[in-house]
Amino acid sequence: MAKKSKGYKDTKLEEKLKDRYFRTSESHPDFLEKVEEISKTIPHMCYQCGTCTGSCPSAPRSSYRIRYFVRRAVLGLEEEQLTDPDLWLCTTCYSCTDRCPRDIAPTDVIMACRNLAYQRGIVPVNFLKTVQAIYSSGHGVPNNDANRAARKRLGLTADPPTTHMYPEYIKGIQKILDHYKIKEQADKIVAEAEKK
Amino acid sequence: MVDITSEKNPRIGVFVCHCGTNIAGSIDVKDVVEYAKTLPNVVHAEDYQYVCSTPGQKKIEDAIKEKNLTGTVVAACSPRLHEPTFRRATQEGGLNPYRFEMANIREQNSWVHMHEKEEATAKAKDAVRIAVAKASLLQDLKPKFVDVEPAALVVGAGVAGMQAALDLANAGIKTYLIEKNPTIGGRMSQLDKTFPTLDCSQCILTPKMVEVGRNENIELMTYSEVEEVDGFIGNFSVKIRKKARGVLTPDEAEAKGIVGGGCNGCGDCEAVCPVIKPNPFEMGMKPRKAIYIYHPQVVPLIYTVDFDSCIKCGLCQTACGEKKAIDLEMQDEFVDLKVGTVVLALGYDIFPVEKKTEWGYKQFDNVVTSLEFERLICASGPTGGHLIRPSDGATPKRIGFVLCAGSRDNTGIGKPYCSRFCCMYSLKHAHQIIEKIPGAVPYIFYMDIRSFGKMYEEFYYRIQDEGAKFIRGRVSNILEDPATKNLHVYAEDTLLGRPVDVELDMVVLAAAVQPSAETEKTRRLFGVSCSQDGWLLEAHPKLNPCGTTTAGVYVAGVCQGPKDIPDTVAQAEGAASAASIPIHLGKVELEPYFAQCIEEKCAGCGMCVNLCPYQALSLVEKDGRKVMQVTEAKCKGCGTCGAYCPGGAIWMQHFTTPQIIAQIDAFLVGGEQ
Ligand SMILES: Cc1cc2nc3c(=O)[nH]c(=O)nc-3n(C[C@H](O)[C@H](O)[C@H](O)COP(=O)(O)OP(=O)(O)OC[C@H]3O[C@@H](n4cnc5c(N)ncnc54)[C@H](O)[C@@H]3O)c2cc1C
Ligand code: SF4
Ligand code: SF4
Ligand code: SF4
Ligand code: SF4
């Protein structure tokens, strides 16, 4: 259900006085099911202790609260969850997962939600640039000169034994990405974002 | 002698219970009754709303009389609770109470097949048919009575064991109280004050300790452990190991002919002993010698030599002089006791909270456990009651209390259960620092405050009012500032929805608790079960919270599960009461489910003797040949011997071969025998 407003002219005030009730009608019961199926973890066991947020290196620097994402999954708040830009602030460091006393993997809840958001085309463009980077180089973060120098200093080859060393395998990676239509979907979202 | 003839003309009555909708909701009860009427030997069948009710029982009695029944079957719930009820009703009707058989169509049927009415009804019919087949072959049995040794044993002398021993002793029962430590008192004697009344713990405990030491009916054995257990309710034989203490009591000295000798607790020995060790009573924060007492109020007031660290220099013996109390060559001794009943009060240990590495216990000096805090704040503790930071001895002003430190933790590292007293003692600790240290602020990191007891919520209110800061969030990690040794405590204030970084002088971890180290070994000796977490298992969580599945063995205090002092004492009084009943009755009834030897068939091979897990069997001479004999009071009716005997010479009462075969036939071929 749409959040009701009172029709004030001042947009700031309007936002402030918006109806903020949580109504059960907002909840998509199958959302939790989907999240649990993809994440293979048990957000419904969360007792909201906040250990995850307390552990999170992202939380003190942003409005990102991993605990809220676990909670919203439980309540089935699909729209709010998938459209929240904070969904993309997790560094996937797994600190929260290491410490959650309920043995939940909050990181994997986030990853599942990112998957679901992606299916609906809700992804920040900079993330999709990663897809394109992988497609062209086989790497999310391709090697650079500084890295090459550092590797040499450590007695390693300048390029790692990946597609950087064996570019002939890039084709295989592209095949996989094409099979799942990842590149296609990424290009589509980027194109739409650029249109706006 | 065994009578193996079975009833010639069985007449069975069947009573099918609705148990409200528990059974009738998923089983067509009427249909089951109609079916029962068609079974061989059934001369009466009816259903009733609640067969266990008074009118329900009356129906059984009446039917036995009117229809001249030889056996009864009730199709209802689990025999665990109601078998005695229906047996009594069968007896009231004029039959032997063992001519009753139960078909469990609730736990094993309606509850598990809640939404499959047709199948559940069919299964209920099977269960009734099987029960009728057995009931047709049931025999009169007579329970056995055994005499009860008029003495009780209490293992563990914390507040639970002490209370149980005092109650038993005051009820006129000779009671042995065994404690593995050199003194009684348990954990409670390590506490400073107790919530919510803030009584000084030792002040309310010492009078009880003294009473235990003085009570004529209590034989106190400290520094002792249970070594072996044999027997059964009424007749336990227990071997106690009295660990070599190296010091004689005045009584022991007198027995050795040393007039006026033995230890009087003067401490002259301690003064000269050159060995220094940490005192475990003070959580290692205070030294003790190789010859030591834990604290000045110990009962009995006798020194103990720690032979693991003693270098046998003999200085103590010289210092002791004419009292001749010290014997450095003393060996462990064994004492055999005969008791009728037993109370286990084995208490608890603190969970090794360093396993949760993120909180820095044993890494950072200023992170301590709550039990260490109790000693640090206690006037008789290592610092004379001045709370100090371990790193520099400074008085801490900002102190954090981390609740659920390892409790309510499903990761496999901590404990899944609530430790039940840490919320309350952390409130108490917060109060103590506000009271003792001007300007001190306690920060309580909590998930829930569980202040469930009488006057507990009021105590919470009071501490909140005194200025404690409550942060609703579990601590994620603690880091130390290496320069100041101050601690940064990280959590989310879940009510603000913001991560917090609270800089504190000291942090106290309310660590989870776990069963004490000796619990596992001791419970096995007594054949008592434990829950998944290792706490001793009560016979029934609601209706028999002090009993265990081993008749005659009872539990009290934290060894059964975390509980505070009021609950511990209440349970100890319950356990003492339960343990005193068989002793006051003087005899106990044993169910007649024991094995019997059919002597004509017994070849005297003796194979069964070694198979019996309860040592109930032996070979005896009879009429010039060897036959097996059952000590009925030891037999638990497990059936191992009966199933084994190649000659079929063992008769399992109430579970005879013909009865079991009839049940199998009834199931497989529908009741024809
Ligand atoms: C930091 C802290 C503060 C607390 N504060 C409070 C408070 O303020 N108020 C309150 O109500 N509760 C408090 N409690 C809880 C309280 O300590 C317990 O409720 C109480 O001590 C339980 O007593 P118990 O006799 O069951 O166990 P214990 O005190 O552990 O006693 C068990 C005894 O059995 C002995 N033993 C164990 N195994 C054997 C064996 N095999 N053979 C012989 N002897 C054996 C042990 O040596 C010990 O003496 C606190 C607990 C902690 C950790
Ligand atoms: S740490 Fe685990 S239990 Fe605690 S709030 Fe986060 S997800 Fe929930
Ligand atoms: S995995 Fe993500 S949510 Fe969890 S602590 Fe790391 S950054 Fe935060
Ligand atoms: S008593 Fe309180 S602090 Fe202790 S485990 Fe239970 S909830 Fe946590
Ligand atoms: S039935 Fe079990 S306990 Fe009884 S004598 Fe046979 S083996 Fe021993």
Side-chain angles (χ1 to χ4, degrees):
Chain A
M1 190 184 288
K3 298 282 185 191
K4 287 178 199 146
S5 76
K6 308 231 168 184
Y8 291 99
K9 288 200 181 77
D10 179 341
T11 47
K12 269 198 181 154
L13 188 63
E14 169 87 41
E15 171 61 22
K16 238 187 167 164
L17 297 180
K18 210 164 67 176
D19 172 356
R20 286 174 200 278
Y21 280 112
F22 160 72
R23 292 191 177 82
T24 46
S25 54
E26 263 178 89
S27 162
H28 299 262
D30 56 337
F31 181 56
L32 176 64
E33 249 168 67
K34 278 191 277 182
V35 170
E36 296 204 340
E37 199 196 315
I38 301 172
S39 67
K40 306 272 184 289
T41 187
I42 45 172
H44 67 277
M45 298 306 291
C46 170
Y47 53 19
Q48 293 288 303
C49 66
T51 305
C52 46
T53 310
S55 301
C56 182
S58 197
R61 293 164 183 84
S62 68
S63 58
Y64 173 49
R65 304 285 175 264
I66 177 76
R67 180 175 56 87
Y68 291 174
F69 282 88
V70 179
R71 186 71 194 144
R72 291 193 296 222
V74 176
L75 289 180
L77 288 170
E78 180 167 359
E79 280 311 306
E80 197 173 320
Q81 184 94 310
L82 300 188
T83 55
D84 185 347
D86 288 357
L87 180 60
W88 304 93
L89 293 181
C90 169
T91 68
T92 65
C93 72
Y94 279 94
S95 301
C96 53
T97 301
D98 278 349
R99 292 183 186 147
C100 169
R102 288 294 218 189
D103 214 14
I104 300 165
T107 322
D108 294 345
V109 171
I110 283 289
M111 300 296 274
C113 292
R114 286 180 179 177
N115 270 298
L116 292 167
Y118 173 80
Q119 284 166 22
R120 291 181 40 184
I122 318 169
V123 190
V125 165
N126 54 337
F127 273 76
L128 298 170
K129 297 253 157 87
T130 312
V131 175
Q132 287 159 338
I134 294 175
Y135 197 84
S136 55
S137 72
H139 278 255
V141 184
N143 213 1
N144 58 23
D145 287 341
N147 233 329
R148 284 193 192 95
R151 287 182 60 90
K152 273 199 202 145
R153 253 201 324 279
L154 292 168
L156 298 165
T157 52
D159 278 316
T162 59
T163 48
H164 276 323
M165 218 184 253
Y166 307 102
E168 61 271 30
Y169 287 110
I170 290 179
K171 272 210 174 55
I173 286 172
Q174 290 173 342
K175 220 175 192 167
I176 296 169
L177 294 179
D178 285 338
H179 177 82
Y180 290 104
K181 300 196 169 56
I182 291 174
K183 173 77 175 1
E184 197 184 311
Q185 167 84 334
D187 287 346
K188 204 176 87 199
I189 301 171
V190 173
E192 264 164 31
E194 273 161 11
K195 244 192 285 167
K196 274 182 208 160
Chain B
M1 204 54 256
V2 182
D3 170 24
I4 56 171
T5 50
S6 53
E7 197 70 38
K8 291 288 168 312
N9 298 305
R11 296 173 61 80
I12 307 299
V14 177
F15 306 85
V16 185
C17 185
H18 291 230
C19 197
T21 53
N22 273 314
I23 292 172
S26 351
I27 289 173
D28 184 343
V29 171
K30 297 277 181 212
D31 192 17
V32 176
V33 168
E34 288 313 310
Y35 173 77
K37 286 181 182 162
T38 69
L39 291 171
N41 303 330
V42 172
V43 295
H44 175 82
E46 62 179 312
D47 60 294
Y48 191 66
Q49 211 66 29
Y50 295 102
V51 184
C52 61
S53 67
T54 307
Q57 295 177 48
K58 187 83 178 28
K59 282 183 183 294
I60 299 176
E61 292 170 36
D62 292 347
I64 293 173
K65 288 179 189 144
E66 283 160 24
K67 303 277 167 82
N68 213 357
L69 301 181
T70 63
T72 56
V73 167
V74 175
C77 47
S78 142
R80 183 118 179 247
L81 272 182
H82 279 315
E83 193 170 44
T85 317
F86 298 129
R87 264 195 200 147
R88 219 172 300 119
T90 305
Q91 191 169 25
E92 293 292 312
L95 283 177
N96 179 283
Y98 292 92
R99 289 194 172 252
F100 161 74
E101 180 66 15
M102 200 145 185
N104 183 348
I105 59 167
R106 190 180 74 180
E107 283 81 347
Q108 296 176 358
N109 193 350
S110 64
W111 277 354
V112 279
H113 307 295
M114 207 167 275
H115 305 295
E116 297 134 313
K117 194 158 183 173
E118 236 169 75
E119 287 92 333
T121 305
K123 186 172 170 184
K125 288 177 183 172
D126 287 346
V128 169
R129 187 172 72 243
I130 293 166
V132 167
K134 181 171 180 190
S136 304
L137 296 176
L138 286 173
Q139 296 170 312
D140 289 356
L141 295 177
K142 288 216 172 13
K144 189 109 199 151
F145 289 91
V146 293
D147 290 336
V148 177
E149 189 71 35
L153 170 71
V154 178
V155 187
V159 64
M162 283 162 48
Q163 184 67 44
L166 282 171
D167 280 10
L168 284 160
N170 290 335
I173 294 166
K174 164 94 189 171
T175 304
Y176 300 96
L177 178 56
I178 311 298
E179 168 57 53
K180 70 173 160 68
N181 283 335
T183 174
I184 61 174
R187 296 276 172 217
M188 187 175 164
S189 54
Q190 290 177 289
L191 308 180
D192 179 35
K193 301 220 164 103
T194 60
F195 62 76
T197 43
L198 298 172
D199 309 283
C200 148
S201 185
Q202 196 59 265
C203 307
I204 55 175
L205 192 67
T206 312
K208 268 200 194 298
M209 290 167 66
V210 171
E211 221 183 311
V212 168
R214 288 221 180 112
N215 195 301
E216 289 194 337
N217 276 337
I218 297 180
E219 190 167 329
L220 180 57
M221 302 169 95
T222 51
Y223 213 48
S224 298
E225 276 166 24
V226 178
E227 189 79 9
E228 276 169 36
V229 182
D230 191 19
F232 46 90
I233 179 167
N235 298 273
F236 291 104
S237 319
V238 184
K239 189 191 279 296
I240 305 291
R241 174 192 289 267
K242 287 182 77 177
K243 292 181 278 184
R245 189 169 203 146
V247 178
L248 298 170
T249 65
D251 285 349
E252 286 166 347
E254 204 177 295
K256 289 203 167 186
I258 308 165
V259 188
C263 180
N264 62 8
C266 67
D268 292 346
C269 51
E270 184 185 8
V272 298
C273 177
V275 179
I276 293 179
K277 284 273 152 184
N279 183 349
F281 179 84
E282 301 290 357
M283 307 306 290
M285 296 182 293
K286 203 174 176 175
R288 69 153 162 79
K289 299 293 185 68
I291 187 163
Y292 67 98
I293 51 173
Y294 276 167
H295 58 85
Q297 286 127 305
V298 293
V299 172
L301 180 52
I302 301 286
Y303 272 77
T304 303
V305 179
D306 168 16
F307 281 113
D308 287 338
S309 57
C310 170
I311 52 167
K312 301 217 172 165
C313 64
L315 288 172
C316 54
Q317 276 170 315
T318 316
C320 186
E322 281 313 295
K323 289 171 293 226
K324 293 198 171 115
I326 300 165
D327 172 4
L328 295 177
E329 303 308 320
M330 200 184 263
Q331 296 295 319
D332 290 3
E333 282 172 34
F334 295 92
V335 183
D336 290 314
L337 305 178
K338 275 287 226 182
V339 295
T341 54
V342 178
V343 175
L344 299 180
L346 309 174
Y348 66 98
D349 281 340
I350 302 295
F351 161 73
V353 69
E354 62 275 18
K355 284 193 185 171
K356 299 291 282 184
T357 48
E358 56 264 44
W359 294 319
Y361 180 62
K362 292 200 176 163
Q363 301 166 47
F364 307 144
D365 292 343
N366 295 327
V367 178
V368 301
T369 66
S370 299
L371 205 52
E372 288 166 349
F373 180 91
E374 292 279 351
R375 296 317 301 155
L376 286 173
I377 199 87
C378 181
S380 66
T383 55
H386 297 287
L387 184 68
I388 54 159
R389 299 207 318 164
S391 69
D392 54 9
T395 303
K397 287 285 172 72
R398 304 162 299 177
I399 302 162
F401 296 91
V402 176
L403 269 58
C404 296
S407 305
R408 306 172 68 199
D409 179 316
N410 302 69
T411 60
I413 301 168
K415 304 288 171 183
Y417 46 83
C418 169
S419 294
R420 255 179 128 236
F421 38 66
C422 5
C423 279
M424 289 306 296
Y425 70 57
S426 297
L427 293 175
K428 169 183 82 178
H429 293 167
H431 164 82
Q432 285 171 301
I433 61 167
I434 293 172
E435 183 182 68
K436 280 207 170 173
I437 306 171
V441 187
Y443 290 85
I444 299 179
F445 294 87
Y446 73 104
M447 290 198 267
D448 304 288
I449 293 290
R450 299 189 164 178
S451 54
F452 52 86
K454 190 170 177 177
M455 297 305 288
Y456 288 12
E457 187 64 19
E458 292 83 340
F459 190 64
Y460 177 16
Y461 183 91
R462 170 176 171 186
I463 308 311
Q464 209 178 358
D465 189 42
E466 285 175 353
K469 297 266 177 281
F470 289 82
I471 297 179
R472 200 242 165 239
R474 183 175 170 281
V475 172
S476 60
N477 60 320
I478 297 174
L479 295 179
E480 183 190 63
D481 179 337
T484 58
K485 299 272 177 188
N486 285 350
L487 299 159
H488 287 264
V489 177
Y490 297 92
E492 182 191 0
D493 182 326
T494 58
L495 302 178
L496 271 184
R498 282 171 64 182
V500 294
D501 164 1
V502 187
E503 186 175 349
L504 299 172
D505 304 323
M506 187 172 179
V507 166
V508 183
L509 302 178
V513 292
Q514 62 186 28
S516 63
E518 283 80 11
T519 300
E520 180 60 19
K521 186 182 128 216
T522 312
R523 77 156 183 93
R524 280 181 186 275
L525 285 172
F526 287 96
V528 170
S529 317
C530 68
S531 62
Q532 220 175 347
D533 308 312
W535 302 109
L536 301 190
L537 204 62
E538 63 289 334
H540 190 288
K542 297 183 185 74
L543 303 175
N544 195 353
C546 303
T548 67
T549 44
T550 304
V553 180
Y554 307 88
V555 285
V558 176
C559 65
Q560 182 256 346
K563 52 180 76 65
D564 56 17
I565 295 162
D567 286 359
T568 294
V569 172
Q571 197 194 21
E573 302 213 277
S577 155
S580 71
I581 293 169
I583 293 175
H584 283 312
L585 288 175
K587 56 181 184 172
V588 283
E589 186 183 315
L590 303 178
E591 290 206 289
Y593 296 163
F594 26 80
Q596 298 278 281
C597 178
I598 308 169
E599 285 167 8
E600 305 84 89
K601 292 194 183 179
C602 176
C605 69
M607 300 294 282
C608 56
V609 173
N610 297 327
L611 285 176
C612 173
Y614 304 100
Q615 285 89 45
L617 303 181
S618 48
L619 281 185
V620 292
E621 282 281 329
K622 246 197 183 160
D623 306 331
R625 66 192 186 101
K626 278 199 154 77
V627 290
M628 180 271 266
Q629 191 181 51
V630 184
T631 306
E632 290 171 351
K634 283 190 175 185
C635 172
K636 300 242 195 279
C638 71
T640 308
C641 58
Y644 171 76
C645 179
I650 300 174
W651 183 254
M652 299 303 310
Q653 306 217 84
H654 211 62
F655 296 92
T656 67
T657 306
Q659 287 166 2
I660 290 171
I661 290 179
Q663 286 182 289
I664 297 171
D665 283 352
F667 177 60
L668 296 176
V669 295
E672 292 97 75
Q673 286 153 31

